[in-house]
Amino acid sequence: MITQFLLTILIVGFVTAGLTIKFDRFFTILLLLFIFKFTIFKAINIFLWVIMFGALMIILDNAKTISKLPKSMKLKLFIMIPLFTLVATFFGSWLFSISSSTALIITLGILAILYGLRLVFIHFKKHELDLQKEHPKIAKICGLFGPILSGFSIGLVGTSLKPLKIPFAIKIGKMNLKKVYLGNTISTFFASLFAILWHFVFTTGMTIGIFYKEMILGAALWTGIHYIFEITNLFFKNKWRKGFQILIGIILTFMSIKIFMLA
């Protein structure tokens, strides 16, 4: 267990540092499957803790910025988003509970292909990192359906669809990256929190003992990944990031073959 743990935090921490991914660490669930040899159900349950702690850390780090937001924005972020994700995670978690392992693995494999292709082909230009004139209709669509999609997906397979949602919002909707990222982070926090609770209710054979063990492992993984992430960032140069992103995208795309083989 110690060897698997160390390998996971080293690999995920290093990879996500190169990709500047702070919370939706999709690679963790793959290593829970391939290194820990967990079932897809257990891997997803543990992964929910990892992304919840990651999203919570970002929210706490940005507490001052959030406190300065207009009341209308706070209402959306902390009233509307929780309500949307509460309902969406219910349906995603219910589907998780009745799905076969094969169905979940195939879904995960498809997402791995999509995420891999996104890393290979979609890159943000400098002017896209601080856009100010968003497309009003696209912004409304993202604001309404973004939390619902994240909630359903997190309830089902543990991932918020962030690698697909953010490029859509930036490239198509011309939305501001910081605004989109904050909204997605808050959506992910509430969705993962609610999904953890729904999974506890819906998962057959779940006990309070198993629940606490998954929580402890999830918290330990997040802590280890976070510190490896921070250490790697001290040495990782920005000029390496684009090439590294393409390389990891190719690896992730080919890893989907191995994921499908688990089915």
Side-chain angles (χ1 to χ4, degrees):
M1 179 69 78
I2 294 176
T3 302
Q4 292 97 315
F5 176 81
L6 292 175
L7 278 173
T8 300
I9 65 172
L10 286 170
I11 293 171
V12 178
F14 175 76
V15 170
T16 54
L19 299 175
T20 61
I21 297 173
K22 293 185 178 181
F23 70 89
D24 195 358
R25 293 175 160 113
F26 181 74
F27 304 92
T28 307
I29 194 170
L30 302 183
L31 298 187
L32 287 169
L33 289 171
F34 295 126
I35 294 181
F36 281 87
K37 306 294 183 181
F38 288 150
T39 66
I40 184 67
F41 299 99
K42 189 175 184 67
I44 290 172
N45 281 338
I46 294 169
F47 182 59
L48 288 173
W49 289 102
V50 175
I51 62 170
M52 189 200 72
F53 285 122
L56 177 60
M57 182 196 69
I58 295 173
I59 293 171
L60 294 176
D61 285 346
N62 290 274
K64 289 184 179 179
T65 301
I66 293 171
S67 67
K68 296 177 183 178
L69 293 173
K71 287 186 179 181
S72 60
M73 180 60 72
K74 290 178 184 177
L75 177 67
K76 176 183 176 182
L77 293 175
F78 294 102
I79 300 296
M80 299 305 296
I81 283 179
L83 287 174
F84 287 153
T85 54
L86 177 65
V87 176
T89 51
F90 171 85
F91 288 105
S93 299
W94 173 75
L95 188 56
F96 165 85
S97 69
I98 64 171
S99 294
S100 65
S101 60
T102 299
L104 293 176
I105 288 168
I106 290 173
T107 302
L108 201 68
I110 293 170
L111 288 175
I113 293 173
L114 295 175
Y115 288 1
L117 293 176
R118 179 271 188 235
L119 291 172
V120 173
F121 294 109
I122 300 178
H123 307 273
F124 296 130
K125 298 175 182 177
K126 284 187 178 180
H127 75 275
E128 293 176 319
L129 301 179
D130 193 29
L131 296 171
Q132 299 298 326
K133 294 182 180 180
E134 62 187 27
H135 191 293
K137 290 184 179 179
I138 299 296
K140 287 181 180 179
I141 290 172
C142 290
L144 177 61
F145 292 105
I148 295 173
L149 287 173
S150 286
F152 182 82
S153 180
I154 285 175
L156 180 61
V157 288
T159 177
S160 70
L161 302 179
K162 170 180 165 281
L164 304 179
K165 286 170 56 187
I166 289 186
F168 176 83
I170 304 302
K171 295 286 188 180
I172 307 299
K174 307 300 179 184
M175 298 175 67
N176 183 267
L177 179 60
K178 291 180 181 178
K179 179 180 176 182
V180 173
Y181 194 84
L182 178 61
N184 193 77
T185 302
I186 292 173
S187 295
T188 298
F189 169 71
F190 283 111
S192 55
L193 176 62
F194 293 141
I196 287 169
L197 299 177
W198 290 130
H199 281 213
F200 179 77
V201 173
F202 288 136
T203 302
T204 303
M206 175 63 75
T207 65
I208 195 69
I210 294 172
F211 181 83
Y212 283 135
K213 286 180 181 178
E214 291 176 348
M215 178 186 70
I216 291 169
L217 180 54
L221 284 170
W222 174 79
T223 303
I225 290 167
H226 173 69
Y227 282 107
I228 296 299
F229 174 95
E230 294 293 338
I231 293 169
T232 302
N233 260 335
L234 295 174
F235 306 99
F236 208 101
K237 296 182 179 179
N238 285 328
K239 65 181 181 180
W240 299 342
R241 295 192 188 278
K242 184 175 181 179
F244 186 74
Q245 177 178 320
I246 293 171
L247 174 63
I248 296 301
I250 293 170
I251 292 172
L252 183 57
T253 303
F254 279 103
M255 274 191 71
S256 64
I257 298 172
K258 194 169 182 180
I259 297 171
F260 288 129
M261 288 175 66
L262 292 175

